[in-house]
Amino acid sequence: MARANRRLSRRARYSAYVDGPDPLAPPVDLSEALEAIGQDVMAGSSAESAMREFLRRGGRDQTGLDELARRVAERRRELTNRHHLDGTLQEIKELLDRAVLAERKQLARDVQMDEGDRALAQMQLDNLPASPAAAVSELNQYPWRSDEARREFEKIKDLLGRELLDQRFAGIKQALHDADDTDRAALQEMLRDLNALLDAHRRGEDTDQQFDDFMARHGEYFPEQPRNVEELLDSLAQRAAAAQRMRNSMTAEQRRELDELASQAFGSPDLMDALAQMDDHLRSLRPGEDWSGSERMDGENGLGLGDGTGVFQDLADLDALADQLAQSYQGSELDDLDLDKLARQLGADAVVDARTLQRLERDLRSTGALRRDSDGRLALTPKAMRQLGKEILRAVAETMSGRQGGHEVRRSGAAGELSGATREWAFGDTEPWDVTRTVTNALTRRAAAGGGVGPAVSIEIGDVEVQETEARTQACVALLVDTSFSMAMEGRWVPMKRTTLALHTLVTSRFRGDDLQLIGFGRSAAVMPVEELVGLDAKWEKGTNLHHALLLANRHFRKHPNAQPVLMIVTDGEPTSHLEPDGQVYFDYPPDPMTIAISVRELDASARLGARTTFFRLGDDPGLARFVDGMARRVGGTVVAPEVDDLSAAVIGSYLDSRRNGALGAWTADDWLR
């Protein structure tokens, strides 16, 4: 048995995991993404566009799509700026010059040669055309005296044949180095069979057997090993289209020279005829390829026909990657990104970044952070809203603790009735244990670890839950937030939403006995769920209807007669509209005295209900300052004029202060953040 195990271990092989996402990859941290997406949603973006924006920007430690796209563009510029397209013509000219020079040396050395013949040969060499194609054509019938010169001249025809084939079949140029007549005959046979297969496919008469027979005879020319004729077509058409784009990018003179030279490839026009026939088939079968594009190539490195075609394929890959990274087409997802092309063009590090972004997008869609609403649009889920609210609340708590010279303060033995809620024990807690929850956690943990049920229960720190206590009276809270267009115009829109979400998170997580109502007021007012208010778009709508908002707040207070009413009003303008008895909205600016009067009357009603009132005045408008100061004095309320970035801390602090009068103990930022 031991020997068998050793044999098995020797046969084991390890390699990169390629079948889908890496199962051992660490989980993606969604908190930064959700915070950024939430910020954009609160600023008026859709959840879909906010997610796209984060994926484009990336995070603190995560490369985004924009950076990958920049590297793609830089790679493209590098290719176009480095190369020029007459490499093959230059190589032919160099071979031609070497052949002529060797022949001149031979003529000078040959003392037995007739002087008339020598003079005629030298005159023919002296008067060769400047065009390489014309010179090669003229020298086809020249009686070479130098064996070296003849070999150099024959290399021109061999080079042309290999370059033309390398344009259509990648890597064949090296394979055909020093090819003999047998090799050339095998190539001609492959091209005949290939054109027959393509022609049959174009007529719809090809069969799987015909393709299999073709690959059995000529598979060595296709190292990518296509599995069917469609894959063969894709590979051939992409390279042929790149060759055509390279030709389109040449000057008219370069094209003319190459056309004249091409007929002499391998010493006959047969190769060019077969390739022209193949190109016709490919154009017909793959019209969607880019056969008409061109590039400006003016670098210093000359490209041969085969290498140039490879560069143009690289450019096509880079263009495709740029489109995929832009994510601008309908239904685009990062899973559409071609990682093989990305690896070829930018390397393995870029693939790692892309895979992380793919997992991030996939997790955002699949882990409950985003969902489709009734209209089919992507939206933040309540789970995502809670997580975003916690992050905002944590930032607010740190701000408040810092201003107070805050340190870790916990309630020691907080008195009060049990709230019915439990939470995980933390260092410093003195609340009573919830024994049932603690034991259940221990049993569940042991069962998950594969342990059986025994007479003893082993309890670990993570199992312990404590009972929360109500160290306060119940509060009935109304947060009135100004949603007029001036809030957005003056940069107060997002801070207002952050404040709303922070207070909602605090109340629903730490003060569950309190009842919070969110009321937005512009030209008219409405009670809004937190999701609606956070996703609210700014509208150009005149009017600040504080009267309507106070009506809704007082209705909320009357529904909770045994709770302490807490009224908080966030606004940057005086009341300019009110509700008429028939329900219509009246608007006037400057504020109509009637609007002011009935707003004051409704605020008096809040005071009679016992509401503790706080105004949060945004901006430096003198009229607004006079109005809110007078209103606050009238009902014994307070006015806070925070900087816009401090609005959340101001509202949270005011809420806690309002509750503190009825609490059995003082609460700090550390208490409600635990």
Side-chain angles (χ1 to χ4, degrees), residues 163 165-172 233-245 282 289 291 305-313:
E163 287 283 7
L165 284 166
D166 203 36
Q167 275 194 302
R168 274 71 172 189
F169 307 96
I172 206 170
L233 273 170
D234 288 340
S235 175
L236 291 173
Q238 288 168 9
R239 192 156 179 90
Q244 182 60 49
R245 293 194 299 275
L282 293 174
E289 293 291 338
W291 299 92
L305 296 180
D307 291 339
T309 298
V311 167
F312 274 78
Q313 277 193 297

Side-chain angles (χ1 to χ4, degrees), residues 195-216:
N195 279 319
L197 175 63
L198 297 180
D199 187 51
H201 187 71
R202 184 166 63 174
R203 299 194 310 271
E205 298 174 1
D206 62 313
T207 63
D208 292 340
Q209 187 60 48
Q210 184 179 6
F211 172 78
D212 293 340
D213 292 343
F214 173 82
M215 290 300 297

Side-chain angles (χ1 to χ4, degrees), residues 109 126 165 170 209 234 241-242 424 474 516 561 594 619 639 659 669:
R109 287 195 302 266
D126 290 342
L165 284 166
Q209 187 60 48
D234 288 340
E424 185 177 346
Q474 185 184 24
L516 171 66
M594 179 58 70
V639 177
R659 302 206 78 274

